[in-house]
Amino acid sequence: MNIAKIVVSFCFSIALSVSASAQEKIRILVLGTSHYNQEKDSAEQKRVIEKLVGFNPDMVMGEFVSPEEYLSLEQDSYRRKMNDSTFFYYQKLNADIRFSEKKLEKDANRLIRFPNLHRSRIELAVGMLNNYDLANAKYQIYMLETWKKSHFNPEEAAFYKKRLGGTETLVQHNLYQSTSEYNTIIFPLMQKLNLSTIYPVDCQIYDTKWTQAWRIVAYCMHFINRIAKMDENSEEARIVHKIEQEKKRIYSKSDSLGLQGYAYLNSSFNAEESDLINFYGGEKLFGFSKNYPEKEVREMIKYWKLRNEGMAANIIRLAREKKGKRIVIAAGSAHQKWIADILRKEPDVDIIDYNTL
């Protein structure tokens, strides 16, 4: 009898241990997003936010490059060419202000307690631009434009104009984008949950090699499409027809399930479609035709995979450093399945599917 009690007690202890272990896992939801979210879809955007609020994340991460990685990139890289002029413009505009990490941290902490200190928020946004922190500068600008600007007194309005240039200038520099997934979904989510920081997790260190690989494939496919139009019986026409067939198959399946909007963007069908389009057929065309540039496409996929592995590494590093428990990752929908599948291999991670919320 005593032995039986010991065995039962031992088994119960194991069960509790397993249960506790499962609860300690980091729950990560990788949200595949559209980079263009129209006003007419605002009802769906609200539904997405409501679902994410229900998930109740304690961390939010986005497809931004960290300041440290940004400064390490080659000056002719895509990100540097996109953003250098903006950073330099605001650094010059605010050259008379001296920034320090201590002051920025102090301003950020004050705003958590006193969110209507408008001047402090303006200075924080400027300081973040000075420090190449695009993600959090955009969040503070979203807060100013959407929630705070209408409450400025004349002095605050003048200070805003002087330091950030006003709405038109911010739009010109892509710092305020009304249709981005951040302004329509992610930043409103953060505001609702009182989350003051978005963590940048993009990986752009392979951008130059990715661009080179992409250009070669794009060049090859340009001529394949031209030949296909001239000769319907050519090998090139077979390639183009195969890609179109695969697209129709994907759309037919997803339509039969009624998947639309963000439900579709976070489905296996979108992942398949993204790979098909981004890689000009990709794996679906491997071994299909001797005229298909398979070697070159494999080179593209190699650098795409490395980028997503880099993003996943940034995510898990930050999650562990900051002791995050429930995390939302916002990334373009083409990244969604790649990142989720990589993170799924981590023993302390539990991947949450958006479509199960």
Side-chain angles (χ1 to χ4, degrees):
M1 186 67 177
N2 288 338
I3 293 175
K5 285 183 178 179
I6 291 170
V7 170
V8 170
S9 176
F10 179 69
C11 291
F12 184 65
S13 297
I14 291 175
L16 284 176
S17 176
V18 170
S19 175
S21 177
Q23 289 174 359
E24 290 167 6
K25 283 192 173 186
I26 306 167
R27 303 181 73 205
I28 297 178
L29 191 157
V30 183
L31 181 72
T33 66
S34 167
H35 296 319
Y36 183 65
N37 300 266
Q38 299 181 70
E39 175 66 27
K40 69 180 180 66
D41 297 321
S42 60
E44 187 193 5
Q45 293 153 20
K46 288 177 182 176
R47 286 195 296 271
V48 175
I49 294 168
E50 287 169 7
K51 282 189 171 189
L52 297 177
V53 167
F55 178 60
N56 194 27
D58 53 12
M59 285 184 78
V60 172
M61 304 183 186
E63 197 178 337
F64 294 94
V65 179
S66 70
E68 297 78 15
E69 182 173 307
Y70 184 84
L71 291 173
S72 75
L73 297 175
E74 297 174 25
Q75 289 198 335
D76 65 345
S77 67
Y78 173 75
R79 291 293 177 189
R80 292 294 296 264
K81 286 191 286 190
M82 283 284 291
N83 298 319
D84 268 0
S85 61
T86 292
F87 287 130
F88 297 159
Y89 173 83
Y90 281 100
Q91 288 165 3
K92 184 178 179 180
L93 184 66
N94 297 284
D96 59 316
I97 300 181
R98 292 290 174 264
F99 297 99
S100 68
E101 290 294 333
K102 189 173 182 180
K103 183 183 185 310
L104 292 179
E105 187 177 342
K106 182 180 177 182
D107 283 345
N109 288 332
R110 286 178 72 200
L111 285 169
I112 292 172
R113 290 176 292 144
F114 308 106
N116 292 322
L117 293 175
H118 305 316
R119 189 182 178 101
S120 290
R121 193 177 295 278
I122 294 166
E123 289 179 344
L124 181 60
V126 170
M128 287 168 167
L129 288 171
N130 185 73
N131 285 3
Y132 301 94
D133 186 356
L134 185 62
N136 287 291
K138 282 193 170 187
Y139 178 55
Q140 295 305 329
I141 288 165
Y142 161 82
M143 290 295 294
L144 288 163
E145 281 289 317
T146 308
W147 297 100
K148 306 300 179 182
K149 190 171 71 170
S150 61
H151 302 291
F152 286 174
N153 63 36
E155 288 182 0
E156 290 165 341
F159 188 70
Y160 186 58
K161 181 76 173 176
K162 178 181 179 181
R163 295 304 179 189
L164 289 170
T167 306
E168 186 176 338
T169 303
L170 292 168
V171 170
Q172 287 173 352
H173 286 277
N174 292 320
L175 292 174
Y176 185 74
Q177 299 165 286
S178 61
T179 58
S180 78
E181 64 267 51
Y182 295 98
N183 275 33
T184 55
I185 294 172
I186 301 304
F187 293 160
L189 169 71
M190 292 173 62
Q191 192 267 339
K192 276 180 177 286
L193 297 178
N194 294 316
L195 298 174
S196 59
T197 302
I198 179 167
Y199 295 89
V201 295
D202 199 0
C203 175
Q204 287 286 326
I205 59 177
Y206 306 104
D207 175 67
T208 301
K209 291 182 178 179
W210 154 263
T211 301
Q212 290 171 349
W214 168 75
R215 282 177 178 163
I216 291 169
V217 175
Y219 183 79
C220 293
M221 292 304 297
H222 171 73
F223 284 100
I224 285 173
N225 281 301
R226 285 186 65 180
I227 295 168
K229 286 180 180 178
M230 291 186 290
D231 184 357
E232 294 180 355
N233 298 314
S234 65
E235 195 66 17
E236 287 76 12
R238 283 186 68 235
I239 291 169
V240 173
H241 181 64
K242 173 67 173 173
I243 293 172
E244 289 305 313
Q245 274 188 322
E246 291 294 335
K247 284 183 188 176
K248 288 177 181 177
R249 178 185 59 79
I250 294 167
Y251 299 152
S252 176
K253 283 187 177 180
S254 64
D255 287 348
S256 69
L257 296 172
L259 293 174
Q260 295 179 346
Y262 270 72
Y264 177 76
L265 291 178
N266 288 273
S267 71
S268 61
F269 299 108
N270 178 74
E272 205 176 352
E273 181 198 358
S274 295
D275 287 354
L276 187 73
I277 293 172
N278 290 343
F279 305 130
Y280 299 90
E283 294 183 359
K284 298 293 183 185
L285 273 290
F286 288 176
F288 178 75
S289 169
K290 60 183 176 60
N291 289 6
Y292 181 72
E294 181 173 329
K295 179 183 175 184
E296 291 78 8
V297 172
R298 286 185 183 275
E299 191 74 357
M300 271 184 78
I301 293 174
K302 179 177 84 172
Y303 290 113
W304 178 256
K305 182 180 179 184
L306 285 169
R307 180 184 175 188
N308 285 284
E309 287 174 344
M311 292 175 75
N314 289 336
I315 290 165
I316 199 66
R317 172 181 55 79
L318 283 166
R320 289 168 179 161
E321 280 179 8
K322 305 297 179 182
K323 302 189 186 317
K325 296 299 180 185
R326 295 176 308 282
I327 303 169
V328 166
I329 317 297
S333 62
H335 293 279
Q336 196 276 331
K337 189 174 185 299
W338 285 82
I339 295 173
D341 285 350
I342 295 165
L343 291 174
R344 213 183 301 274
K345 298 173 185 175
E346 298 292 332
D348 59 342
V349 168
D350 184 16
I351 293 295
I352 307 302
D353 184 348
Y354 168 79
N355 284 322
T356 64
L357 293 180

